[in-house]
């Protein structure tokens, strides 16, 4: 093939009939120097559901397309149908969550897949070193938020005062900024991408995706949030939560340290990490590890972020199909957050909170997956109507003023880059490198303290299970389509040994639990344990009562965590009763568990109290004919400092 210059390739983005394309600058953590820009040309196909991704991708090698060409910066092309390079780029809308049994508004936004026919790698200077095409500024009309700060504040206030928020539910609630771009087209999209390269630093992906066709949709963004990836046989996730608004003069050490010490911010990140650990444990083998927190610095914001990784147990496409969207853009607990979003947001989210996923093969022929959350993303339709959705994570301790200010800052971070002409001194140069605010010794020490407060099992655990342990039979209490048992099972198998799962509604489940020769563990789940109107919880109450009353004496223990603990306590203690946990107590508390002080993560809305004074029960350790044990908190959480030791004590 005749060598192609960078200029020749870029000129194809300014023609009268521009094919579907994507521009991606993927800044991978720890990669040396600024990343180049990848330009993908191809064809776009649509589907109603992500389950059709296999058909959209093509049959050739399980991840991509036939006959694609890969072009390096030097311009020399070569076929990569069986070689390294990207094969497809998928756009997954938020409504995709319905395929996982979750509640969401169905706005009809389709799954779109760009099947890659050409892959070019270009230097960043090919964009930043050239002026805007046509020399005219981009025109924005009728621009502004669709809701006022006061209206958004009322939404925050209403949710923060709710029982579910007081019980620990965190939800990202969005608001929309809209505008009309009368002259929008591929050339304008490329210019907006150029502006982002110059003005924004630290993004995980900076991108443009243009779908082409008679009714094209274009996404332009700089997202800080990477999601799931598969690289060199490991599956990786990068949960991000917590936002520090940079002062105009730059980061202030005192303000940054106060942000890092803020309990609300640290617990929001831990909640997000817990949710992603649960997802990753379902995608990985033994040896899942949590690193961080780190700081991801951007032009106007700083975020706290962790990295989770483990040996991949599935291929790239299966990993993508089994992965939910980033809990950063939803909330936690995940299913409860989806229900709250459905109640508090009146319209669908489109691609906001969804995913951009790039699948391909590495130089050794292994499958690769890289993805980014569709946040800080402007979506423009074929009529030039643009929407930028932004949100704040709202919980029981949120304030309307702070959350409204956070949404304005997030919107301004992207809009300033898109609407402001870069200074002449920057237009001809390379973009700024990502800032590294954690070089300050005091900031490094604060991050180290945050890391030390996490569970040692997840950060550097070397726990080995006993060789001859009897299998644990875990009762899945249901009520949540996500199951949510993966992290708990990972911990059980690491500290005790083999584990099996039985659903509460499986035929013969109660009898199997009674006759099981090893320990029985009742897992946590949603719901009030004494709810008289819930058939599922009625079954669980009967099962717990049977285990406490009828399991053969002198055998292995019956144990419970969270909801499982509550069910056992109600069955074993005559004066036990259920109350709603008081608000404002936070998720992490210092308690004593079986004679050992631990910091523990409390995730349940409800608590068990006993006695006339209503003393909250945190642990259960009945030593009669039948050993019945439990803990109100969640040993598998990254906030529970000795979760492995607690679980071992429950099951031994």
């Amino acid at each position: 093939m005749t060598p192609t210059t960078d200029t020749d390739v870029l000129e194809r983005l300014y023609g009268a009939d521009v094919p579907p394309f994507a521009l991606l600058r993927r800044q991978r953590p720890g990669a040396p120097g600024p990343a180049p820009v990848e330009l993908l040309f191809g064809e776009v196909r649509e589907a109603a559901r992500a389950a059709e991704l296999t058909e959209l991708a093509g049959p050739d090698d399980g991840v991509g397309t036939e006959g694609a060409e890969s072009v390096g910066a030097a311009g020399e092309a070569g076929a990569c149908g069986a070689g390294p390079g990207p094969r497809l780029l998928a756009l997954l809308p938020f409504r995709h969550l319905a395929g996982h049994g979750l509640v969401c508004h169905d706005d009809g936004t389709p799954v779109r897949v760009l099947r890659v026919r050409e892959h070019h790698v270009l230097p960043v200077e090919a964009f930043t070193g050239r002026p805007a095409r046509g020399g005219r500024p981009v025109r924005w009309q009728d621009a502004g938020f669709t809701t006022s700060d006061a209206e958004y504040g009322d939404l925050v206030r209403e949710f923060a005062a709710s029982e579910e928020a007081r019980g620990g539910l965190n939800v990202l609630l969005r608001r929309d900024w809209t505008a009309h771009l009368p002259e929008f087209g591929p050339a304008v999209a490329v210019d907006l991408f150029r502006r982002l390269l110059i003005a924004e630093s630290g993004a995980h992906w900076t991108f443009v995706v243009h779908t082409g066709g008679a009714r094209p949709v274009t996404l332009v963004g700089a997202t800080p949030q990477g999601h799931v990836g598969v690289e060199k046989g490991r599956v990786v996730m990068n949960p991000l939560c917590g936002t520090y608004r940079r002062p105009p003069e730059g980061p202030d050490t005192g303000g940054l340290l106060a942000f890092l010490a803020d309990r609300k911010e640290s617990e929001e990140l831990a909640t997000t990490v817990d949710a992603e650990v649960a997802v990753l444990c379902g995608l990985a083998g033994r040896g899942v590890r949590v690193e961080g927190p780190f700081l991801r610095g951007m032009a106007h914001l700083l975020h706290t972020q962790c990295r989770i990784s483990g040996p991949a147990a599935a291929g790239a496409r299966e990993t993508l199909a089994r992965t939910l969207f980033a809990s950063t853009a939803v909330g936690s607990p995940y299913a409860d957050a989806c229900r709250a979003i459905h109640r508090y947001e009146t319209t669908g989210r489109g691609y906001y909170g969804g995913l951009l996923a790039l699948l391909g093969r590495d130089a050794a022929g292994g499958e690769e997956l890289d993805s980014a959350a569709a946040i800080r993303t402007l979506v423009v339709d074929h009529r030039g109507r643009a929407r930028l959705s932004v949100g704040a994570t709202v919980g029981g301790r949120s304030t309307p003023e702070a959350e409204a200010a956070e949404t304005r800052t997030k919107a301004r971070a992207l809009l300033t880059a898109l609407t402001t002409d870069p200074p002449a001194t920057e237009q001809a140069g390379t973009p700024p490198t990502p800032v590294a605010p954690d070089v300050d010794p005091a900031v490094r020490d604060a991050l180290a303290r945050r890391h030390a407060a996490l569970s040692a099992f997840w950060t550097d655990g070397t726990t080995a299970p006993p060789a001859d342990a009897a299998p644990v039979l875990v009762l899945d209490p249901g009520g949540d389509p996500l199951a949510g048992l993966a992290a708990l099972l990972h911990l059980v198998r690491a500290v005790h040994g083999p584990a099996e799962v039985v659903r509460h509604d499986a035929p013969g489940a109660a009898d199997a639990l009674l006759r099981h020769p090893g320990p029985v563990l009742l897992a946590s789940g949603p719901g009030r344990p004494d709810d008289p109107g819930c058939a599922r919880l009625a079954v669980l109450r009967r099962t717990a009562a049977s285990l406490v009353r009828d399991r053969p004496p002198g055998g292995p223990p019956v144990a419970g965590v969270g909801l499982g603990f509550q069910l056992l306590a109600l069955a074993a203690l005559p004066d036990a009763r259920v109350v709603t946990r008081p608000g404002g107590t936070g998720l992490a508390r210092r308690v004593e568990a079986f004679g050992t002080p631990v910091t523990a993560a409390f995730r349940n809305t409800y608590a068990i109290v006993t006695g006339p004074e209503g003393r909250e029960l945190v642990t259960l350790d009945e030593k009669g004919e039948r050993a019945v044990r439990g803990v109100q908190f969640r040993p598998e959480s990254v906030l529970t400092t000795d979760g492995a030791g607690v679980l071992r004590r429950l099951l031994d």
Side-chain angles (χ1 to χ4, degrees):
M1 187 177 194
T2 304
T4 304
T5 67
D6 296 345
T7 301
D8 293 336
V9 172
L10 290 178
E11 282 301 313
R12 295 169 60 188
L13 300 176
Y14 298 100
D17 187 19
V18 180
F21 72 90
L23 291 167
L24 310 174
R25 182 178 183 237
R26 300 182 291 145
Q27 189 68 48
R28 301 199 177 195
V37 173
E38 297 171 86
L39 170 57
L40 313 177
F41 286 111
E43 61 185 46
V44 169
R45 297 185 179 182
E46 294 185 3
R49 298 176 295 110
E52 301 173 37
L53 187 61
T54 299
E55 290 78 10
L56 294 176
D60 61 311
D61 65 356
V63 296
T65 61
E66 301 171 351
E69 293 177 337
S70 178
V71 185
E76 201 68 40
C80 68
R87 299 293 194 273
L88 66 89
L89 176 67
L91 306 180
L92 303 182
F94 193 79
R95 64 187 285 269
H96 160 66
L97 290 179
H100 291 271
L102 295 163
V103 177
C104 59
H105 293 289
D106 187 353
D107 57 9
T109 304
V111 175
R112 288 182 165 98
V113 172
L114 174 69
R115 297 183 63 189
V116 180
R117 296 303 188 188
E118 296 178 40
H119 174 218
H120 303 266
V121 180
L122 305 169
V124 174
E125 292 79 13
F127 297 88
T128 61
R130 61 167 49 201
R133 191 62 173 248
R136 293 186 301 174
V138 178
R139 286 203 298 143
W140 304 78
Q141 296 178 348
D142 305 321
F145 279 109
T146 59
T147 56
S148 67
D149 281 3
E151 290 169 324
Y152 183 75
D154 288 342
L155 190 70
V156 171
R157 187 179 294 106
E158 179 183 354
F159 177 76
S162 68
E163 181 176 296
E164 53 195 350
R166 293 197 306 271
L169 178 63
N170 291 292
V171 177
L172 184 125
L173 296 177
R174 88 172 203 272
R175 62 192 299 204
D176 296 331
W177 182 97
T178 60
H180 180 228
L181 283 71
E183 299 165 351
F184 189 81
V188 174
V190 174
D191 183 52
L192 296 179
F193 176 75
R194 178 188 67 88
R195 292 167 182 249
L196 285 176
L197 289 178
I198 294 172
E200 184 55 273
S201 61
H204 178 71
W205 278 25
T206 306
F207 61 90
V208 168
V209 181
H210 176 71
T211 64
R215 299 166 66 90
V217 173
T218 305
L219 284 71
V220 185
T223 174
Q225 172 73 71
H227 193 40
V228 65
V230 175
E231 52 188 51
K232 298 180 180 178
R234 291 186 70 80
V235 58
V236 180
M237 301 184 80
N238 296 280
L240 175 150
C241 196
T243 302
Y244 169 73
R245 296 185 290 276
R246 285 175 175 271
E249 62 275 11
D252 169 69
T253 299
L256 186 52
L257 292 174
F259 162 73
L260 291 174
D262 188 301
R263 185 177 177 184
K264 172 184 175 292
E265 298 287 353
S266 62
E267 289 184 352
E268 282 182 3
L269 177 63
T271 298
T272 300
V273 172
D274 274 347
E276 306 293 34
V277 165
V279 171
L280 193 133
C281 284
L283 303 171
R286 287 189 57 185
V288 172
R289 290 292 173 265
V290 175
E291 303 170 64
F294 313 108
L295 288 176
R296 176 172 282 278
M298 301 187 72
H300 298 273
L301 303 167
L302 294 175
H303 298 289
T304 44
Q305 178 177 35
C306 287
R307 172 185 165 91
I308 315 168
S309 65
R317 186 159 336 160
E318 183 180 350
T319 296
L320 178 62
R322 291 165 55 187
T323 303
L324 296 166
F325 298 146
S327 60
T328 304
V330 178
S332 183
Y334 204 97
D336 292 339
C338 287
R339 286 188 283 268
I341 289 170
H342 188 259
R343 288 198 306 274
Y344 286 88
E345 296 182 9
T346 58
T347 59
R349 289 187 164 192
Y351 290 109
Y352 175 67
L355 203 63
L356 297 90
L358 187 67
L359 294 99
R361 293 193 176 273
D362 61 23
E367 290 186 348
E368 276 194 324
L369 166 66
D370 189 15
S371 65
I375 59 176
R376 319 291 163 80
T377 300
L378 187 75
V379 181
V380 189
D381 69 12
H382 65 286
R383 289 173 288 188
R385 297 185 305 184
R387 183 172 83 170
L388 170 65
S389 297
V390 291
T393 301
V394 182
R397 289 187 283 173
S398 293
T399 63
E401 297 77 16
E403 308 304 358
E406 181 173 323
T407 60
R408 288 197 309 273
T409 301
K410 288 177 177 177
R412 185 168 60 248
L414 188 73
L415 294 173
T416 299
L418 294 178
T419 60
T420 304
D421 287 323
T425 55
E426 294 184 7
Q427 290 188 21
T430 58
T433 57
V435 297
D438 52 350
V439 298
D440 186 289
V443 174
R444 284 202 306 269
D445 289 346
L447 290 169
R449 287 192 296 272
R450 289 269 297 265
H451 177 81
L454 301 179
S455 166
F457 172 79
W458 295 113
T459 56
D460 56 7
T462 56
T463 302
D468 55 351
V472 178
L473 186 58
V474 180
L475 175 65
D476 177 359
D480 187 336
L482 308 184
L485 296 181
L488 180 62
L489 289 173
H490 194 91
L491 183 61
V492 169
R493 289 166 178 153
V495 304
H496 181 86
E500 302 167 0
V501 178
V502 60
R503 278 189 56 87
H504 75 287
D505 54 358
D511 188 59
L513 291 163
L514 277 176
R515 297 177 182 276
H516 182 66
V520 168
L521 178 63
L522 279 63
S524 194
R528 179 170 177 136
D530 61 348
D531 184 350
C534 178
R536 174 180 64 89
L537 287 163
V539 170
L540 291 170
R541 285 194 298 273
R542 290 194 296 270
T543 300
S546 174
L547 289 170
V548 170
R549 181 185 63 242
D550 301 329
R551 193 161 152 86
V558 175
V561 298
L563 176 66
F565 155 84
Q566 296 169 355
L567 293 164
L568 291 175
L570 289 175
L573 305 176
D575 63 341
R577 58 192 187 276
V578 182
V579 298
T580 300
R581 283 187 60 222
T585 58
L587 299 177
R589 294 160 54 192
R590 193 73 173 166
V591 298
E592 185 173 292
F594 310 118
T596 302
V598 297
T599 298
F602 289 79
R603 300 286 187 203
N604 293 77
T605 303
Y606 306 103
I608 297 292
V609 298
T610 59
E613 71 282 3
R615 180 180 61 87
E616 183 180 357
L617 194 65
V618 174
T619 63
L620 179 67
D621 192 9
E622 295 295 297
K623 299 183 175 70
E625 289 185 337
R626 300 168 184 85
V628 180
R629 302 171 186 155
V631 291
Q632 169 71 74
F633 55 86
R634 307 292 284 274
E636 74 274 22
S637 171
V638 296
L639 283 176
T640 301
T641 51
D642 188 26
V646 169
L647 195 64
R648 188 180 291 110
R649 177 67 181 85
L650 290 176
L651 300 176
D652 287 349

